[in-house]
Amino acid sequence: QVQLVESGGGMVQAGGSLTLRCNASVSVFSRMGWYRQAPGKERELVASIVVDGGPEYGDFVKGRFVLFGDVAKSRVTLQMNGLRSEDTGVYYCNVKVAEMYGGLRDYWGQGTQVTVSA
């Protein structure tokens, strides 16, 4: 069973910064990153990396966030700058692992709350 350990999050004023970190207990993965879910909304991609490519960001990021990935250590760090009240939500670490007979399986962290006050 793959486990994801998240850290970071918290409360910050608008315009501030936060850093989220996630470590996965898996040596090989296909994609790893962060999603978020605001109250009453669907979960959406914040940023993710693929093993053999660069990071992918949600449209709303607009250069404010940067995802750092350490593939060898199965670790990602999300640096969030210029936070806005609409960035408030629960942020989940995600890793996608190839299954033996094809396809990818999703694993999720427990989630960490990010609250941005206006």
Side-chain angles (χ1 to χ4, degrees), residues 7-78:
S7 63
M11 183 178 293
V12 67
Q13 290 186 332
S17 300
L18 286 173
T19 302
L20 304 182
R21 296 181 176 86
C22 180
N23 290 323
S25 64
V26 61
S27 59
V28 178
F29 64 89
S30 176
R31 180 183 289 270
M32 185 173 180
W34 288 91
Y35 287 72
R36 73 182 189 183
Q37 188 165 19
K41 295 187 177 181
E42 294 186 352
R43 194 170 295 188
E44 62 181 347
L45 171 71
V46 179
S48 68
I49 59 168
V50 293
V51 172
D52 57 355
E56 175 185 353
Y57 296 96
D59 291 340
F60 59 87
V61 171
K62 299 186 185 299
R64 300 181 296 131
F65 301 172
V66 181
L67 184 69
F68 300 97
D70 187 335
V71 175
K73 296 183 178 180
S74 299
R75 175 189 303 169
V76 291
T77 299
L78 180 66

Side-chain angles (χ1 to χ4, degrees), residues 72-94:
K73 296 183 178 180
S74 299
R75 175 189 303 169
V76 291
T77 299
L78 180 66
Q79 178 63 44
M80 302 187 293
N81 303 313
L83 284 162
R84 306 165 180 166
S85 57
E86 55 263 38
D87 293 317
T88 294
V90 180
Y91 285 65
Y92 297 92
C93 184
N94 169 267

